[in-house]
Structures are given as structure tokens and as C-alpha cells.
Amino acid sequence: MEIVIDISKIRSLSQIISPSNFKKIVRKDDCYSTFYKIKKHTIVTDSTTNLDTINVIYNSLLKNYKNEYVYKNILTNKLLLKKYSLKNTIALNEFNIGKSIADFVLLNGEARIYEIKTELDNLEKLDTQVLDYCKFGDKVYIVTSSKHINKLIELYANSTIGIIELTSRNALKTIKEATSNEATFSYETLFKTLRKQEYLDIIEEYFNFVPEVSNTRIFKECLALAKKIEISLFQKLVVKKLKSRNISNPKKIQEKAIPESLKHICYSLDFSKKEYEKLNSFLNQKSKICISHI
């Protein structure tokens, strides 16, 4: 298989390797746009499988166009699956914290937030995002390219914020370690990350009762009770409760049959066993054969 090194074409092909596209492929049997882009921007042979195609595209992204998915996939592979493992750690993707949406959150004994700023991004909203994250997470890291390193060191030299560089060799290099944000934890921010049943569980487990009030008042009453718990303890209770949002097939994602290029997609979409079968069927198909069916 051949792929032309042209940024506009790589940008178009990058849309193939995304959770939204694989959601269509696996759950809606919609491969049209995928094969259209492959046919338009690549040259495949009779023996080229969709897995071959995906891996070539992903390797091209690693070398030429490190978009947000590349960053998330590297964090999934190198931190979640290798450094911390699925036995005691979960990841939350695009997680609402305050008025911001955190790119990647790891939860085990601590909450670690990773905000991604690729070389394609600007830093305009970063201060606001970081302020929100420090109200929730034990540690906050900015994961970025060499383009932003000097500016970020200047901005956050005397803060709790950590800085990680995604190097040209696709390694995660810690430039500045993050430190604890316990002093800036916020009851409201922590509480609002929870679903209703989650905060009801915390209140009942800690106080042995749930307020008998109307649905319109239950949020306010439970928040008032939560504020009676020492805040560092409440943060730990929130993290523990959020950890119950685990994926349904943690062992499946670690199998060699799931390509490294798609680990983040599989984790974030939390495929069922039948969906993994459909994914494997798609990956093993011949790209040229599939294109001819359009």
C-alpha cells in the first residue's frame, strides 16, 4: 500500500481513525466514507487488508500529523495499559469538569488530568481549563509538542501544573512534574462530575441516609451534606465512585488482536463482544474488495 505525503490528504485520512468513524463502522455498518477516502488518497493492492490500511495511515499520522487522537492513543497505550494497568485504573475521555472538558483523565488512587495541546492548537483557553481541573484533580498535566514547551514553562513555572512533551519519537517526556492541587479542590466542581445515583450512593454510604425531599431539591440537599465531609476525603470518595464507570471488556482491549493504533477507540467506545467480532471482520477484509462493493 502507498500513501502520498500531503498534509491535506493526511488530514482527510486522519478522519478515518477516530471514535466517531469507528462507531459508524462497527455499530451502523457504515463504511462508505472510510472506503471513499482510502480509494481517493491511497493505492491499495489485492492483498491489502483494512488493518494494513489503518496501520499505514496511523504511522503516517505519527510522523507527519500528530492530531489529538494520536496523543490520546499514546496516552492510552503508554499510561493506561502499560504504566498503570487496567486492574486498578480507568480512563475518562472528554470528561466535563466545571465549564471545561478534560481530554483524558486517569483514575486510580488519584485523579490525574491530561490536557492535550498539539502543535495544531493554540493556548487561548488553557488558563480557564487549568483552573477548572485544579478544583477536581490531584494532579494536572499539559501534554504538548515541542512548539509550546517554552511558553508553557514560562506560564506554569511556579504552579502545580505538570508539563509532558510528546517527542518526535513519540515518547512521553516529563518536563515538569505536577504537584498536589488539594488546596484548590471545590465541593461544587467535584459534586457536579457525578451522576444522580452516584452522589446519592456517596451520601447514603457516608451518612447512612438520603434526604427525603422532592426531586427538585435533592441535588441541593445532597450538595449541602457533601460540604460537611472534609474536602480531601470527599474528593477521594468522588474518585472512587467514578472508578466504577469501568469498561465492560477490559481483557479484550489488551489482546494482540486489537491493533495498537485503535486502542483508544476501542476503550472509549467500550465495544461488546459482538462488536469486537464485527471490528475484527472489518479489519481482516481486503480494502480493494470492500471498495469495489461501494
Side-chain angles (χ1 to χ4, degrees):
M1 176 187 170
E2 296 179 22
I3 182 169
V4 179
I5 305 302
D6 179 291
I7 292 300
S8 63
K9 292 179 180 180
I10 293 174
R11 186 181 296 116
S12 179
L13 287 169
S14 72
Q15 296 168 11
I16 292 173
I17 308 179
S18 68
S20 60
N21 189 54
F22 270 83
K23 186 176 182 179
K24 290 194 296 182
I25 291 171
V26 174
R27 293 179 176 159
K28 299 181 180 179
D29 294 317
D30 181 1
C31 301
Y32 180 84
S33 61
T34 298
F35 294 130
Y36 174 79
K37 290 182 175 71
I38 291 172
K39 187 176 183 180
K40 184 178 181 181
H41 299 308
T42 70
I43 300 171
V44 297
T45 67
D46 291 334
S47 62
T48 304
T49 65
N50 290 328
L51 175 57
D52 296 329
T53 303
I54 294 298
N55 284 335
V56 169
I57 294 170
Y58 184 71
N59 287 332
S60 183
L61 295 179
L62 287 174
K63 293 176 183 177
N64 307 291
Y65 189 77
K66 290 186 176 73
N67 62 358
E68 187 175 286
Y69 178 77
V70 167
Y71 277 72
K72 288 183 177 180
N73 197 51
I74 289 173
L75 288 170
T76 298
N77 278 291
K78 297 193 174 186
L79 293 186
L80 176 63
L81 299 180
K82 292 182 180 177
K83 183 175 181 179
Y84 295 113
S85 88
L86 294 176
K87 290 181 180 180
N88 55 16
T89 305
I90 74 158
L92 300 174
N93 183 51
E94 300 293 313
F95 184 61
N96 287 285
I97 301 174
K99 295 181 180 180
S100 302
I101 302 176
D103 290 319
F104 194 82
V105 180
L106 287 183
L107 303 176
N108 43 37
E110 293 184 321
R112 297 177 181 84
I113 300 171
Y114 298 85
E115 179 61 28
I116 295 166
K117 294 298 177 186
T118 76
E119 63 180 18
L120 311 171
D121 297 326
N122 60 53
L123 306 178
E124 287 179 9
K125 298 179 181 179
L126 189 55
D127 276 345
T128 301
Q129 291 171 314
V130 162
L131 285 173
D132 279 336
Y133 303 154
C134 287
K135 296 174 183 177
F136 169 86
D138 294 275
K139 293 177 181 177
V140 176
Y141 288 93
I142 302 165
V143 189
T144 189
S145 74
S146 59
K147 174 183 175 180
H148 297 307
I149 291 296
N150 289 338
K151 181 63 176 178
L152 291 173
I153 291 173
E154 178 186 332
L155 288 172
Y156 298 108
N158 299 314
S159 74
T160 61
I161 307 303
I163 302 169
I164 297 174
E165 178 186 355
L166 180 60
T167 71
S168 58
R169 295 186 177 184
N170 302 308
L172 296 171
K173 179 182 178 183
T174 301
I175 305 298
K176 179 180 180 292
E177 287 286 358
T179 54
S180 174
N181 294 305
E182 185 175 338
T184 53
F185 287 163
S186 160
Y187 283 106
E188 287 82 0
T189 300
L190 288 160
F191 194 84
K192 288 177 181 179
T193 64
L194 299 167
R195 298 165 182 160
K196 182 179 180 180
Q197 191 56 53
E198 290 171 337
Y199 68 69
L200 289 177
D201 289 346
I202 289 176
I203 295 302
E204 184 169 21
E205 288 164 10
Y206 190 84
F207 293 100
N208 295 315
F209 75 94
V210 172
E212 294 184 7
V213 295
S214 65
N215 285 333
T216 57
R217 292 181 56 198
I218 191 67
F219 179 92
K220 184 176 181 180
E221 293 295 324
C222 286
L223 175 56
L225 284 170
K227 289 181 178 180
K228 295 181 180 180
I229 306 171
E230 196 274 322
I231 194 161
S232 63
L233 174 58
F234 180 61
Q235 190 261 3
K236 286 180 171 58
L237 294 175
V238 170
V239 170
K240 182 180 178 181
K241 183 56 64 177
L242 290 171
K243 277 188 66 182
S244 65
R245 299 183 188 180
N246 211 344
I247 60 172
S248 56
N249 291 295
K251 291 183 179 179
K252 190 70 179 177
I253 198 172
Q254 294 176 303
E255 293 180 2
K256 290 183 179 180
I258 308 303
E260 189 169 304
S261 56
L262 300 180
K263 294 288 191 183
H264 180 72
I265 285 172
C266 292
Y267 188 91
S268 61
L269 292 178
D270 191 16
F271 288 139
S272 66
K273 290 182 179 179
K274 286 187 177 180
E275 288 172 335
Y276 272 115
E277 289 172 5
K278 290 178 70 175
L279 173 65
N280 286 330
S281 176
F282 165 79
L283 294 175
N284 290 325
Q285 287 178 352
K286 298 292 191 294
S287 293
K288 194 165 186 179
I289 292 174
C290 295
I291 290 170
S292 69
H293 288 171
I294 297 175

